[in-house]
Amino acid sequence: MTIYNLLMPEWGFVRQMARPFPGVVIAIYIWHGVSETIFEMPALRMKNSKTKNIAVAFVHDSGALLLSLAVLASDPGIQIGGPNSARQLAVLNSSLGYFLADGVYWVGDGIKNGKWNTRMLSHHALCVAGIVSCWVSGRGAGDLHLGMVLMHLSSPFGYARYFAKEFGLEHLPWAQACAGLYLATKLIAILLLSPPVVLLMILSRDNALVIKLCGVGILLINLAWLHTTAVKQRDYTI
């Protein structure tokens, strides 16, 4: 059975997930369960909350990348600003549940430590606004899936790099290769692939203004990340 078959809109679960309610509520419960399971894994039990949260992010980002690729492949009629399909909304709503749950974590982290991760919170807020705009306008979900692919293209390499460092394996050849591939794919996505996609979103007459602003905002966040890592020469993070 392929990922396409699992995303067929005829499935009752997919139709439920495609609705704002109960889809997002189901997604929040699912991500709560995933978080609880990962936090209790023997390899992570003694790690700090940041490392555990990054492990949850790894599950989401990898799943979002695979499912968005599957949606783009299985819906050949997707156009910039085009109408939503059930499978598109189902996958986006599952991510919305994650962004809401993870947003609560980062707000709590900011209150606890007095230091706010503005990049992460801004990213999540823009993603939530974009998905909600898809509900309201009935269009643009395909654009967000394309954005998901670009955002998470480098994620597998980035998480491999992070956990290699966390477990003292960064000296191994595969870990060093992942570090280089992460930076390379991130730069390609930010500088080469994302700008023309965002421009097409802006020029589309069918896209809602919120979708356009979200595309611009996320691109600016990634350019700020590039400035932090390349210009200030800081250690780059996921």
Side-chain angles (χ1 to χ4, degrees):
M1 181 176 290
T2 64
I3 293 178
Y4 172 81
N5 296 132
L6 292 174
L7 292 175
M8 288 296 287
E10 288 79 11
W11 281 37
F13 180 71
V14 173
R15 290 200 301 271
Q16 294 297 320
M17 286 297 298
R19 301 171 182 170
F21 181 84
V24 179
V25 176
I26 294 172
I28 291 173
Y29 273 103
I30 289 174
W31 284 111
H32 176 72
V34 170
S35 299
E36 291 293 319
T37 301
I38 289 177
F39 276 39
E40 292 302 318
M41 290 177 63
L44 296 173
R45 193 171 294 162
M46 302 305 294
K47 297 292 183 179
N48 58 35
S49 61
K50 177 185 176 182
T51 298
K52 294 177 180 178
N53 190 63
I54 288 176
V56 178
F58 163 70
V59 174
H60 168 264
D61 292 0
S62 300
L65 175 61
L66 290 174
L67 290 174
S68 289
L69 284 170
V71 165
L72 293 173
S74 60
D75 284 349
I78 289 180
Q79 298 176 347
I80 296 293
N84 305 330
S85 71
R87 65 169 67 91
Q88 291 170 15
L89 290 175
V91 175
L92 287 180
N93 284 347
S94 67
S95 283
L96 179 55
Y98 166 77
F99 291 133
L100 292 173
D102 196 52
V104 171
Y105 167 83
W106 285 110
V107 169
D109 182 75
I111 294 173
K112 179 181 177 181
N113 298 317
K115 185 177 180 180
W116 297 86
N117 191 330
T118 53
R119 183 172 72 92
M120 189 66 71
L121 288 170
S122 299
H123 169 271
H124 284 11
L126 287 169
C127 289
V128 170
I131 295 172
V132 171
S133 178
C134 286
W135 295 348
V136 175
S137 68
R139 311 183 73 87
D143 301 34
L144 297 190
H145 280 292
L146 188 55
M148 285 277 196
V149 171
L150 294 177
M151 277 195 302
H152 300 312
L153 191 63
S154 60
S155 292
F157 306 117
Y159 289 114
R161 168 192 172 274
Y162 177 86
F163 286 110
K165 290 184 66 176
E166 191 68 24
F167 290 97
L169 304 174
E170 68 270 23
H171 62 283
L172 296 178
W174 66 264
Q176 295 174 2
C178 284
L181 288 169
Y182 170 65
L183 192 57
T185 51
K186 194 80 169 176
L187 290 173
I188 290 171
I190 294 174
L191 297 179
L192 298 181
L193 302 179
S194 295
V197 171
V198 171
L199 180 60
L200 289 173
M201 292 172 63
I202 294 172
L203 295 177
S204 171
R205 295 181 178 180
D206 296 320
N207 264 332
L209 177 61
V210 173
I211 295 285
K212 299 179 181 183
L213 292 176
C214 289
V216 173
I218 290 178
L219 178 58
L220 290 176
I221 288 172
N222 280 286
L223 288 172
W225 172 91
L226 181 61
H227 176 267
T228 301
T229 57
V231 178
K232 297 186 178 181
Q233 297 183 344
R234 294 181 183 174
D235 183 38
Y236 57 91
T237 59
I238 296 173

